[in-house]
């Protein structure tokens, strides 16, 4: 599958979050060698009443359970919004090899927008590809917040 096909699945998950009244962010973790999606997640902070319930954290947790370990070697993450500092930390700690994100986050994006966290001297540096399906990913967020403001 292509980056766009995996990102399309992340977009579907973001739409599930929006339907629940959650900020629409979706994430998938893919085992590169097989192309299999091993973890999925979408934001559940409001319904889960947890600041930790970001799409990326949920997807990483599911992938770890699927693969039977905390090291997600040979894995990539596709996420609709540039990860925040917490999620970047989880990506580093889980050893995900590549992060592909859609929309840039000028307020909390920690891959490129606010800070380049993966460029700091940590023990792991994933590759980054930003802007995949950027317009579609950004539009989902914009539409969600427009609707929220109108209420």
């Amino acid at each position: 599958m292509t980056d766009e096909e995996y990102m399309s699945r992340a977009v579907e998950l973001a739409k599930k979050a929006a339907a629940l009244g959650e900020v629409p962010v979706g994430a998938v973790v893919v085992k590169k060698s097989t192309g299999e999606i091993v973890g999925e997640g979408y934001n559940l902070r409001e319904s889960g009443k947890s600041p930790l319930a970001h799409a990326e954290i949920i997807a990483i947790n599911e992938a770890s359970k699927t693969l039977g370990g905390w090291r997600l070697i040979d894995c990539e993450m596709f996420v609709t919004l540039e990860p925040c500092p917490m999620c970047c930390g989880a990506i580093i700690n889980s050893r995900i090899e590549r992060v592909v994100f859609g929309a840039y986050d000028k307020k909390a994006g920690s891959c490129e927008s606010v800070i380049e966290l993966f460029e700091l001297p940590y023990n792991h540096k994933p590759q980054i590809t930003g802007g995949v399906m950027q317009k579609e990913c950004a539009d989902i967020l914009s539409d969600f917040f427009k609707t929220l403001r109108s209420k």
Side-chain angles (χ1 to χ4, degrees):
M1 289 178 65
T2 65
D3 287 357
E4 289 76 14
E5 289 170 312
Y6 290 120
M7 187 63 76
S8 291
R9 177 60 185 151
V11 166
E12 290 174 19
L13 294 167
K15 289 177 181 177
K16 284 186 177 187
L20 296 173
E22 299 278 353
V23 174
V25 177
V28 296
V29 176
V30 175
K31 182 87 170 158
K32 289 189 326 185
S33 58
T34 65
E36 177 188 3
I37 293 176
V38 293
E40 296 185 336
Y42 51 88
N43 271 357
L44 290 170
R45 290 185 306 172
E46 300 300 329
S47 56
K49 303 202 182 332
S50 172
L52 304 176
H54 284 208
E56 298 96 323
I57 302 295
I58 294 167
I60 287 169
N61 192 46
E62 187 175 291
S64 295
K65 287 178 181 177
T66 300
L67 297 173
W70 62 270
R71 289 179 189 90
L72 300 180
I73 305 299
D74 188 40
C75 288
E76 300 177 312
M77 174 175 281
F78 295 81
V79 59
T80 57
L81 182 65
E82 181 180 0
C84 73
M86 174 181 72
C87 293
C88 285
I91 289 163
I92 290 167
N93 285 323
S94 65
R95 310 302 195 265
I96 288 174
E97 295 179 7
R98 180 173 173 241
V99 177
V100 179
F101 66 87
Y104 289 83
D105 184 352
K106 295 189 185 321
K107 294 182 180 178
S110 296
C111 297
E112 295 181 4
S113 295
V114 174
I115 188 169
E116 294 179 4
L117 203 60
F118 297 139
E119 293 305 313
L120 296 175
Y122 291 110
N123 59 336
H124 178 71
K125 292 179 187 273
Q127 294 177 337
I128 304 164
T129 303
V132 173
M133 295 177 58
Q134 181 176 354
K135 183 176 179 351
E136 185 173 353
C137 293
D139 286 350
I140 293 168
L141 287 157
S142 295
D143 292 346
F144 174 81
F145 286 112
K146 279 181 199 168
T147 302
L148 197 62
R149 283 191 297 274
S150 70
K151 291 179 182 178

